[in-house]
Amino acid sequence: MSFPAEWALHRGTWLAWPDLPKEWAENHEGARKEFLDLCRAIATTGAAPQETLNIFIKNESERSRIESELSGLRLRFYIFDYGDIWLRDTACVFAADHTAHVFRFNGWGGKYILAKDAELATEVAKKADAKLVRHSYILEGGAIDHNGNGLWVTTKQCLLNANRNKEMNQGDYEEKFKSLGARDICWISEGLLNDHTDGHVDNILRFVNEKTLLCMLPCGSADPHREKLLQIHEEAKVWADKHSLDLLTVDSPGEVQGPESFMPASYMNFYISNNCVVVPLYGTSSDEQAVEKIGKIFSSRKVIGLPSNNILTGGGSFHCITQQEPI
């Protein structure tokens, strides 16, 4: 059993319409626009096979708006009273044999409890007509990344946090992950500052092919994440060398202000679809170089940079709101 890497062909992408005005406040409509732009990029870029957009909505009233905005795309709608849009963490994780792995979910350590979020993974599995495999421990999809061939990355800050599985230690996780196809796991100490997820790895360190990792370096001395990024790079380099992996870098976005403080803005939160890679942008001086560098890495796909500031005010970006269903 194995989980295909994100760059393997997808049958579709699972998403949920931003539908909590109180949660998003003044950024609600902006988040919806960014969501629609992401959908267009995924489903209209490149040659076949185009991906199906599987979109959860809470009622029929939103369907007509989305259909008109995304006219001509391959859309499937499912009504379910989900909490919020972070399907990377709340949806199931699909394996190569089209089993749907469902892990327990506790609102990112009990911080954000929303109705039905803990039930969404099972709902996705049912709608995808996939065989359900349940796991007894808490795990969010954004807490792990892998190369499709047994090399996994994660963070101690998230998985070893007492607010997840306080009875589990690093060895326990490694045993469970190896039963899911992992051969070796890179344990990065911590993620970015002000990260609601307690340091999800998909915001700091990503596989871009089977033999290459990508992370960020500080964009300057004033970068609020400077010390964290240097530590992440150092730890990733040691593990990459152990496995003869290349470790590439892009400069971080630096300080991106949110409603209350600077946010954990990251170019690592890109989403790899069948024909393109969608990179979140934040209106900083590093945006252009990030798209250019990531474009050189994914030479067989079109790399598209899209604004993500509004979605980020909710705590994540494009990778956080998507979940791929591999072919």
Side-chain angles (χ1 to χ4, degrees), residues 112-143:
Y112 307 100
I113 304 296
L114 296 172
K116 302 290 186 178
D117 267 351
E119 302 171 30
L120 185 63
T122 301
E123 191 69 15
V124 172
K126 288 179 181 177
K127 300 304 184 189
D129 195 26
K131 182 181 178 181
L132 200 63
V133 179
R134 292 191 182 277
H135 299 272
S136 61
Y137 56 101
I138 295 163
L139 181 69
E140 298 113 37

Side-chain angles (χ1 to χ4, degrees), residues 74-94:
R74 295 173 63 177
L75 306 174
R76 289 180 182 165
F77 292 94
Y78 302 97
I79 295 178
F80 185 72
D81 193 23
Y82 56 91
D84 213 336
I85 68 174
W86 314 110
L87 265 64
R88 180 63 48 180
D89 299 334
T90 57
C92 55
V93 181
F94 291 98

Side-chain angles (χ1 to χ4, degrees), residues 147 150-152 183-186 207 210-211 213 236-246:
N147 73 342
L151 297 182
W152 289 32
R183 291 186 290 111
D184 195 36
I185 299 106
C186 173
F207 275 101
E210 193 172 313
K211 298 289 291 182
L213 283 161
K237 184 68 167 65
V238 171
W239 190 77
D241 287 347
K242 172 185 173 183
H243 291 284
S244 300
L245 303 174
D246 292 324

Side-chain angles (χ1 to χ4, degrees), residues 26 66 76 109 217 312 320:
E26 67 272 13
I66 301 171
R76 289 180 182 165
L217 287 176
L312 183 59
C320 298

